[in-house]
Amino acid sequence: MVKLFRLSSSLLGRHFFSKSLLSSSLIRTTKYLNYPCSSAFAGRFHTHKVLAMAETTSSSSSSHSHTNRLSAEHSPYLLQHAHNPVNWYPWGEEAFAEARRRDVPIFLSIGYSTCHWCHVMEVESFEDEEVARLLNDSFVSMKVDREERPDVDKVYMTFVQALYGGGGWPLSVFLSPDLKPLMGGTYFPPDDKYGKPGFKTILRKVKDAWFSNRDMLVKSGAFAIEQLSEALSASASSKKLPDELPQNALRLCAEQLSQSYDSQYGGFGSAPKFPRPVEIQMMLYHSKKLDDAGNYSESKKVLQMVLLTLQCMARGGIHDHIGGGFHRYSVDERWHVPHFEKMLYDQGQLVNVYLDAFSITNDVFYSSLSRDILDYLRRDMIGPEGEIFSAEDADSAEHEGAKKKKEGAFYTWTSQEIDDSLGEHSTIFKDCYYVKPLGNCDLSRMSDPHDEFKGGNVLIELTDTSALARKYGLPLEKYLDILGECRRKLFDVRSIRPRPHLDDKVIVSWNGLAISSLARASKILMGEAEGTKYNFPVVGCDPKEYMTAAEKAASFIRRHLYNEQTRRLEHSFRNGPSKAPGFLDDYAFLISGLLDLYEVGGGIHWLVWATELQDKQDELFLDREGGGYFNTPGEDPSVLLRVKEDHDGAEPSGNSVSAINLIRLASMMTGSKSEYYRQNAEHLLAVFESRLKDMAMAVPLMCCAAAMISVPSHKQIVLVGHKSSLEFDNMLAAAHASYDPIRTVIHIDPTDDEEMEIWEGNNSNIALMARNNFAADKVVALVCQNFTCSPPVTDPRSLKALLLKKHSSVV
C-alpha cells in the first residue's frame, strides 16, 4: 500500500505540483500543517489571539449580516458556520449540480463542532470578507460535519493522508465537480507567512490551475481514487488465518507496544499522549494469556505497564478532577496539560478498561475512576430521553458576556481563585494538585511553550495521598473527605462560568460504546467492598442506576434511529435523524453494547435485537466473496470509496469489533448459526492477515479477536432461575467478577415461554439445561466448556471460586 500511495502522490505531483501550478512550498505546507485536531500530529500551537467563536445555533443573535444554506441544517458544526459570508452548501446534490452548472471546482471543508483548529480557521478565513469573495466567485464551497458523515470524511482524509503522509481537521480539499480530489491539506493560515502560502494565495493558485491544466488535474484525481479503492478493498486469499498467526500477532503487538512504553509516566509512545483504550485492552488480554500459560513473571510485567498508565492518566491533568471524565489527549509526556475537549468515544472505552483493571486487582482506585467517568456522563452528557451526547468543546468564554473564547478557560484555575473558594482548606488542596501562584504548566517544556496558560493551573496529583495525609497529620479517610469537599466547592464555582459548547448530536456508534460501559459497570461494581466510600465528583450511586441508563440509551436508539420495517439504523440524531444511513461502526458498536447489556442481565429482547442487527449488517456491509466488512452500504454514488477499515486507533475499527461480536454470537448459538458466525469471523480476520503479521501494533483489538477465535472452546456460564430477585443479581455479579474477555454469560428463566422458545431455536442445549436445573427458590449456575459442565452451584461465593480456578474443573 505504501508503494501505491507513493505512486498516486508522484502522479499528482507530476500533473499538479511539479509544473509550478502551485509552489513546492505549498506541498511542504500541507505536510507540515497538522494541528491539534489532527489524527497525525498533536501539539500546542500559539494562536496569537483567543478565538471569537461562532454561535452554535442560527437563532443565537437577533441579526446577522450573512445567512447561508447551513442555517437549515441540524449539525452543531454546520450551524456554527451558518452566518459566515462564505456561501456554504451542505453536502448534497444541490452543491454538486451548482459546481457542474458553473463549471468550477468545489472547496470542501470538513471538521466537527469541538475541533479547536476548525474554530481558528473559521475566525481567520471563513469570517473574512476577502476570503469569502474568493470562495464565492471561483468555487462552490461545501461544509461537512465529519461526525455526521464519516463516510465522506473517510474518502478525502484517506486521499490527503496518502498524498502527504498525514492529515487532520479541519480537512481542506479541492474537488472537481464530479467529486474527484485535486489537492488538499488541513489548516491553512489566511496569509502568506514564513515563506509558506496562505489560504488566499492557495485559492488563487487553484483557480488558475483549474482553467489552465484542468484535464491533468481531473485525470490525476480519478487515478488516485481508483488506486485507493483497489488498495482499500482487500480480499482474503484463504478462508482463515494460518494456525500459528493468532498467538504470534498478539505477542508481536505486545512486544511492539512494550518497546514504546514510558516506564516513568506510563503510556505507549511519546508526547503528545493519547489514551488509546484498544492498546490497554490488548495488553490486559495478553497478560491474562501469559498467566494462563504459567508465565507469571512476564504476565505481571505486562500488567504493571497497564496499571501505571491508568494511574498516571487518572492523576494527570488529562483527567478532569473537578467534574469527572477525561479530556482528549495530553500535549506533554506527563499527562498534564491536555487538549481540553471531551469526546464520548473516549469516555465509554476508558470506563471499560478501568473496570477491567478493577476486576483484576480488586482495587477501588480503578472502580472509582469508572464511576467518575460514568457520573460525569450522567450529570452532563445525557438527554431527557436517555440519549447520550457526543462531545464538549475545549474552548469557552473566560467570563459571562465575553465575545472571545479561549481553550481551557472552563477548566483552569488561578491560585487566588482557589484561595477564595476553599478558605482554610486551600493549602491542603493546592499541595495535592500542584497549584502555584504563577501557574503550574511548567512540568515539561511541551506543556505550555507559548505561555497560553501563564498564571493558570491545570490540576495534577504529583504526590501520594497517604504521604500528604501524614504531612498534615490527618487520617487518610479524613484527608480524602476534605479533598472531596474541596472538589465539590470548586465544581459549584466552576458551574457559574460560561460552559464549553456541548455537541448534543447523538451518534449510534458512540452510544454503543457507552451502553457497553454502563451495562458492565452495573454488575462489575457490585464487587466493591461493602462500605466503600466515594468522594466527589463520584456520586456513589447504586450500580443498578448504570443499568437503567444503558437501557434508556438503547431504547432511544431503537425508537428514534431504527426502522422496524427495514431493520436499518440511521447514523445520528439531532432534532430528528440525520440524512446519513447507519455505517458499519454504528451496527458493530451497538451490537457489542447490546450483547453486554444482555449478558449483565438485560432482557432477552436485547440479544434478539443484536442478532437482527448482525443479520442486517451482513446484508449491507459484508463482502461475502472476499471477506470482511466495508464501512458503508455502497448505496450513495457521491461517496467514492468503500473501505474495509482495520486501524484500531482512538476508536476501534468496525471490523475488529465485528470479529469479536461474531465470536461471541458463535459461542452463544449452536448448529448452523454458530458455524455461520464463526466462519464469517475467520474469513474477516483472513482479510487482514498481512496487517496481523507485519503491523500488529496498528490493529491491537483485531489481534485480540484473532487470539480469541483460536481458543477451541469458550467458557459459558449459564444461570437458571427467576430473574426478578436479589439472588439473581448477585449471581450475575459473581459471573462477571473476574476478568475473562472470552467468557459468555447466558441467563434463562424456564418459566418464561418466550425466552425458552428463543433458546430452543438458537441453542437447544441451553433450554435443556434450564429445564433440568430449575429450582423455584434458587438461582443455579453451571460453568460449561468443551461440551461438558461443572456440577451446579447455587451461591455467588461458590461461583466466584469456580471461575477463579486456574485450570477449571469443568471436565
Side-chain angles (χ1 to χ4, degrees):
M1 193 176 293
V2 172
K3 290 181 180 178
L4 170 72
F5 286 175
R6 285 175 180 163
L7 175 63
S8 60
S9 175
S10 63
L11 181 76
L12 286 173
R14 284 198 309 273
H15 283 221
F16 194 28
F17 299 116
S18 65
K19 287 187 177 291
S20 299
L21 302 176
L22 293 173
S23 69
S24 61
S25 63
L26 175 57
I27 303 176
R28 291 195 297 272
T29 302
T30 53
K31 289 182 178 179
Y32 174 79
L33 289 170
N34 293 304
Y35 280 77
C37 299
S38 167
S39 60
F41 178 83
R44 187 171 298 286
F45 288 77
H46 189 38
T47 61
H48 306 291
K49 62 179 180 177
V50 293
L51 297 175
M53 291 278 293
E55 294 299 323
T56 61
T57 70
S58 58
S59 60
S60 58
S61 176
S62 57
S63 63
H64 298 284
S65 299
H66 306 278
T67 298
N68 57 53
R69 290 168 178 80
L70 301 185
S71 62
E73 296 297 304
H74 292 167
S75 157
Y77 176 65
L78 299 188
L79 290 170
Q80 285 172 352
H81 296 264
H83 301 291
N84 297 162
V86 177
N87 185 23
W88 292 114
Y89 286 76
W91 181 267
E93 181 54 37
E94 184 186 9
F96 312 154
E98 180 67 6
R100 292 192 298 268
R101 185 187 70 78
R102 291 174 52 195
D103 193 26
V104 295
I106 292 167
F107 171 66
L108 174 63
S109 177
I110 302 178
Y112 54 103
S113 74
T114 60
C115 165
H116 176 76
W117 285 92
C118 300
H119 303 328
V120 174
M121 193 164 178
E122 178 188 12
V123 170
E124 292 179 340
S125 292
F126 302 143
E127 292 181 349
D128 181 86
E129 296 285 350
E130 182 183 358
V131 170
R133 278 194 300 274
L134 289 168
L135 283 169
N136 295 342
D137 290 348
S138 303
F139 301 87
V140 169
S141 299
M142 285 195 293
K143 265 284 173 194
V144 166
D145 182 341
R146 68 168 292 261
E147 295 170 356
E148 193 173 67
R149 292 301 305 257
D151 54 338
V152 176
D153 177 64
K154 183 67 181 178
V155 173
Y156 300 107
M157 180 62 74
T158 300
F159 168 78
V160 168
Q161 288 175 328
L163 200 56
Y164 306 119
W169 300 278
L171 186 65
S172 305
V173 190
F174 295 91
L175 316 178
S176 63
D178 64 351
L179 308 180
K180 304 296 192 302
L182 307 176
M183 63 84 61
T186 54
Y187 161 85
F188 295 109
D191 299 304
D192 300 354
K193 190 176 290 186
Y194 309 122
K196 298 180 176 67
F199 190 50
K200 296 171 189 174
T201 297
I202 291 166
L203 292 175
R204 294 185 182 103
K205 296 283 188 181
V206 173
K207 172 190 172 183
D208 293 344
W210 177 251
F211 288 107
S212 61
N213 284 275
R214 178 184 316 190
D215 289 346
M216 286 188 289
L217 289 180
V218 172
K219 287 178 183 177
S220 296
F223 180 81
I225 287 295
E226 288 170 12
Q227 296 293 291
L228 288 170
S229 180
E230 182 180 331
L232 296 172
S233 57
S235 296
S237 58
S238 65
K239 294 289 187 180
K240 60 186 297 188
L241 292 171
D243 290 342
E244 74 284 351
L245 182 55
Q247 300 308 321
N248 287 345
L250 193 70
R251 176 185 51 77
L252 176 62
C253 186
E255 288 175 355
Q256 291 173 342
L257 282 176
S258 298
Q259 290 169 7
S260 65
Y261 173 64
D262 182 342
S263 59
Q264 187 171 7
Y265 303 118
F268 302 96
S270 57
K273 283 187 172 176
F274 290 79
R276 292 189 178 95
V278 288
E279 295 175 349
I280 294 172
Q281 283 180 269
M282 190 283 306
M283 293 295 273
L284 287 174
Y285 186 45
H286 181 55
S287 174
K288 176 173 171 52
K289 297 283 284 185
L290 290 169
D291 187 78
D292 289 346
N295 193 345
Y296 304 124
S297 61
E298 189 64 24
S299 171
K300 185 176 180 181
K301 179 181 174 183
V302 173
L303 178 60
Q304 288 305 315
M305 292 182 193
V306 170
L307 297 181
L308 179 65
T309 297
L310 293 176
Q311 291 165 16
C312 290
M313 284 167 47
R315 293 179 173 131
I318 193 173
H319 173 213
D320 180 2
H321 294 272
I322 302 302
F326 280 76
H327 300 295
R328 184 67 198 93
Y329 63 82
S330 167
V331 302
D332 56 63
E333 73 278 9
R334 300 188 65 158
W335 302 102
H336 182 204
V337 178
H339 177 46
F340 286 92
E341 68 181 320
K342 289 180 174 179
M343 307 301 296
L344 178 58
Y345 58 76
D346 283 324
Q347 315 307 325
Q349 293 179 89
L350 285 169
V351 170
N352 272 332
V353 294
Y354 277 105
L355 287 172
D356 289 342
F358 171 68
S359 297
I360 294 165
T361 65
N362 206 34
D363 185 340
V364 294
F365 173 85
Y366 302 106
S367 64
S368 68
L369 262 298
S370 296
R371 286 180 174 271
D372 169 291
I373 302 167
L374 292 175
D375 290 347
Y376 155 66
L377 292 181
R378 292 172 69 228
R379 184 166 47 234
D380 292 340
M381 297 293 284
I382 295 183
E385 293 186 63
E387 70 275 27
I388 309 177
F389 301 138
S390 296
E392 288 192 294
D393 206 343
D395 305 335
S396 58
E398 293 187 90
H399 56 82
E400 201 64 48
K403 294 182 179 180
K404 296 181 178 180
K405 298 189 178 186
K406 183 178 180 181
E407 179 166 11
F410 186 71
Y411 299 102
T412 55
W413 300 88
T414 65
S415 179
Q416 188 62 52
E417 284 176 322
I418 290 174
D419 288 338
D420 294 343
S421 302
L422 301 184
E424 63 174 323
H425 293 140
S426 172
T427 300
I428 289 177
F429 184 88
K430 291 196 295 185
D431 205 4
C432 176
Y433 289 104
Y434 188 61
V435 175
K436 301 167 69 178
L438 299 180
N440 72 352
C441 300
D442 56 4
L443 291 173
S444 166
R445 62 180 179 82
M446 304 182 73
S447 297
D448 189 24
H450 301 289
D451 291 331
E452 290 184 73
F453 298 114
K454 187 175 183 179
N457 291 272
V458 179
L459 303 184
I460 182 173
E461 296 181 69
L462 298 179
T463 307
D464 179 68
T465 50
S466 298
L468 287 171
R470 289 193 298 270
K471 174 181 175 179
Y472 289 100
L474 292 168
L476 180 59
E477 186 173 324
K478 175 65 174 174
Y479 175 75
L480 295 176
D481 286 345
I482 291 172
L483 290 179
E485 188 54 36
C486 288
R487 290 192 295 268
R488 186 185 297 274
K489 288 180 179 179
L490 292 179
F491 178 85
D492 291 339
V493 171
R494 198 175 79 172
S495 295
I496 63 175
R497 294 176 175 176
R499 287 195 67 89
H501 157 68
L502 169 68
D503 188 326
D504 57 358
K505 183 166 65 268
V506 180
I507 297 174
V508 171
S509 57
W510 298 0
N511 271 249
L513 294 172
I515 289 166
S516 168
S517 63
L518 285 160
R520 295 183 71 237
S522 73
K523 291 301 177 287
I524 292 173
L525 293 177
M526 288 176 68
E528 292 174 318
E530 190 174 345
T532 298
K533 284 200 66 175
Y534 310 98
N535 293 109
F536 194 84
V538 174
V539 174
C541 67
D542 186 328
K544 290 179 182 177
E545 294 184 34
Y546 296 134
M547 184 67 167
T548 300
E551 292 188 313
K552 283 185 176 180
S555 296
F556 179 91
I557 293 171
R558 180 137 202 173
R559 281 196 309 275
H560 295 287
L561 288 162
Y562 179 68
N563 186 312
E564 297 284 352
Q565 282 70 47
T566 64
R567 296 189 173 183
R568 294 180 69 150
L569 291 168
E570 304 295 331
H571 172 63
S572 63
F573 181 98
R574 187 176 187 271
N575 299 326
S578 68
K579 301 169 188 174
F583 302 111
L584 173 61
D585 288 2
D586 297 310
Y587 285 83
F589 294 10
L590 180 58
I591 290 166
S592 178
L594 293 175
L595 292 177
D596 285 328
L597 193 53
Y598 167 73
E599 287 201 42
V600 300
I604 191 72
H605 61 281
W606 298 124
L607 177 58
V608 172
W609 192 27
T611 61
E612 290 173 353
L613 287 171
Q614 187 63 59
D615 290 344
K616 184 56 65 172
Q617 177 183 315
D618 292 351
E619 176 188 323
L620 295 173
F621 306 99
L622 181 63
D623 182 351
R624 296 187 184 275
E625 295 299 319
Y629 293 97
F630 293 104
N631 65 327
T632 71
E635 298 166 338
D636 185 345
S638 72
V639 180
L640 305 184
L641 285 179
R642 203 174 181 217
V643 175
K644 292 182 185 176
E645 181 65 67
D646 62 357
H647 178 63
D648 297 318
E651 301 171 58
S653 77
N655 273 295
S656 295
V657 175
S658 293
I660 294 174
N661 290 344
L662 291 167
I663 294 165
R664 294 174 70 180
L665 287 167
S667 71
M668 289 182 171
M669 312 301 176
T670 54
S672 60
K673 285 189 177 180
S674 177
E675 190 61 24
Y676 170 80
Y677 291 136
R678 184 176 182 84
Q679 287 177 354
N680 280 349
E682 289 175 337
H683 200 187
L684 182 161
L685 291 166
V687 172
F688 304 105
E689 178 180 342
S690 62
R691 291 282 268 178
L692 291 164
K693 276 182 182 176
D694 304 328
M695 296 185 67
M697 194 169 73
V699 289
L701 194 64
M702 192 170 288
C703 290
C704 293
M708 289 174 183
I709 205 167
S710 69
V711 176
S713 178
H714 290 197
K715 188 180 294 180
Q716 284 185 337
I717 304 167
V718 182
L719 302 180
V720 181
H722 295 305
K723 297 185 180 182
S724 57
S725 67
L726 178 61
E727 291 78 14
F728 193 82
D729 272 353
N730 289 336
M731 289 293 271
L732 274 169
H736 290 278
S738 57
Y739 172 75
D740 187 353
I742 58 172
R743 163 198 57 217
T744 300
V745 179
I746 294 171
H747 46 87
I748 182 168
D749 180 351
T751 66
D752 185 323
D753 293 339
E754 180 186 4
E755 197 169 8
M756 288 293 285
E757 183 180 349
I758 289 168
W759 284 113
E760 286 283 7
N762 290 281
N763 187 340
S764 59
N765 295 331
I766 299 297
L768 181 62
M769 276 191 276
R771 289 193 191 93
N772 292 343
N773 291 278
F774 177 65
D777 58 343
K778 294 178 181 177
V779 179
V780 177
L782 302 102
V783 180
C784 306
Q785 196 166 14
N786 297 320
F787 309 106
T788 55
C789 297
S790 68
V793 295
T794 56
D795 67 278
R797 185 174 297 179
S798 298
L799 178 56
K800 284 183 183 179
L802 184 59
L803 294 173
L804 285 172
K805 287 186 178 180
K806 280 291 177 191
H807 299 286
S808 176
S809 59
V810 179
V811 293

